[in-house]
Amino acid sequence: QVQLVESGGGLVQAGGSLRLSCAASERSFSTSTMGWFRQAPGKEREFVAAINWSSNTYYADSVKGRFTISRDNAKNTVYLQMNSLKPEDTAVYYCAAGPHFDEYNFWGQGTQVTVSS
């Protein structure tokens, strides 16, 4: 059972930046695809970004050019650097782990990101 713990959320003004972190409990992290998802109030959860074991990345169109996903296998941690934040980025952000870009087996509890206008 992989445990994922997110941190780094908070309140920021539009145009600002935040960096989210997700620490994994297992060494198998280094071979997992890691993803970030988000869910805004009243909306379905949506994909944000993902990175596989060889650091290939994939982004939702809505965050391309503003968000950057990265990983540090030595620390079992994945990051989401969020720049030029917009009010519509407000959501609970979840970290997930799995074998492929389109399959995730483990999820964190989420961290709140609020962007004020």
Side-chain angles (χ1 to χ4, degrees):
Q1 184 83 8
V2 177
Q3 293 186 338
L4 304 173
V5 179
E6 303 99 333
S7 61
L11 174 64
V12 64
Q13 289 188 333
S17 299
L18 282 175
R19 187 176 82 155
L20 305 182
S21 299
C22 173
S25 63
E26 296 289 330
R27 290 184 179 182
S28 59
F29 165 87
S30 64
T31 61
S32 297
T33 293
M34 302 298 297
W36 285 98
F37 292 76
R38 67 187 181 187
Q39 187 167 20
K43 295 187 177 181
E44 293 187 353
R45 185 171 61 194
E46 65 175 1
F47 169 79
V48 176
I51 185 168
N52 71 358
W53 63 272
S54 60
S55 293
N56 293 311
T57 58
Y58 182 50
Y59 295 94
D61 288 343
S62 59
V63 306
K64 279 182 182 177
R66 300 189 298 121
F67 291 10
T68 302
I69 189 170
S70 61
R71 66 191 300 160
D72 185 338
N73 289 338
K75 296 182 178 180
N76 287 358
T77 300
V78 63
Y79 304 97
L80 185 67
Q81 177 66 45
M82 305 185 295
N83 298 328
S84 302
L85 283 161
K86 305 175 181 180
E88 52 263 44
D89 294 317
T90 294
V92 177
Y93 283 70
Y94 297 91
C95 175
H100 308 293
F101 278 125
D102 57 356
E103 182 179 353
Y104 298 91
N105 307 118
F106 304 101
W107 294 83
Q109 293 189 330
T111 185
Q112 176 71 47
V113 171
T114 303
V115 184
S116 63
S117 57

